Amino acid sequence: MLLRGLFPALMSALVLCISLAARPAWAEEKTALPSGEAEANRDLGNARRMVRSGNNSQAIPLLLKILTDAPDTPAAVDAHYELGLAYESIQDVRNAQLQLKEYLDHAPQGEFADDARKHAAALQLPGHRRGWVPAT
């Protein structure tokens, strides 16, 4: 008698399990990032934290790796911006300018475009010094 009452619930659970297991591969592919892009996003997050904490010696190689391994991704575009900030912090004005320009070429209306323009303009000023960042 007890089994008869549980039977419909067990059948519903079984049908649900089968339907989840039988999802076509393409259903997952649409939501999952390609592994290279996912790795680039993860590396970008790590590099951003490094740049913000002043650990540019580790951030720069990681950002350059993103540009090499995943050049056509949104992470690569943002890597140019982060490289600009990192190079500026170590007083490599030429590379900072190049990377900020590259970011602006790819994302003139991007999330960091206004800030990139401010940093690029500050790098043009005579007497640019380490750690000086224009007021935002």
Side-chain angles (χ1 to χ4, degrees), residues 4-134:
R4 213 190 257 168
L6 288 177
F7 186 75
L10 289 173
M11 287 304 292
S12 294
L14 180 61
V15 168
L16 177 63
C17 288
I18 291 171
S19 68
L20 289 175
R23 283 189 4 203
W26 58 264
E28 294 177 18
E29 289 173 14
K30 286 186 179 179
T31 58
L33 292 174
S35 63
E37 189 171 350
E39 183 179 348
N41 288 338
R42 187 173 46 255
D43 287 348
L44 179 63
N46 290 334
R48 272 196 176 124
R49 284 187 286 282
M50 291 174 196
V51 170
R52 302 299 180 270
S53 67
N55 193 355
N56 298 301
S57 63
Q58 287 184 334
I60 290 171
L62 190 56
L63 290 162
L64 291 171
K65 177 181 176 283
I66 294 168
L67 295 180
T68 301
D69 294 350
D72 298 323
T73 63
V77 174
D78 286 356
H80 287 294
Y81 170 74
E82 296 298 333
L83 274 166
L85 298 184
Y87 283 131
E88 181 182 23
S89 292
I90 62 170
Q91 295 183 310
D92 186 342
V93 174
R94 179 161 167 64
N95 277 322
Q97 290 171 329
L98 290 171
Q99 292 300 327
L100 292 168
K101 181 185 180 315
E102 193 70 28
Y103 173 78
L104 290 168
D105 286 347
H106 284 89
Q109 303 301 317
E111 179 180 0
F112 307 108
D114 289 340
D115 195 49
R117 284 186 193 90
K118 289 176 187 175
H119 281 273
L123 289 166
Q124 300 293 327
L125 295 174
H128 179 270
R129 60 190 183 279
R130 182 183 179 125
W132 183 82
V133 177

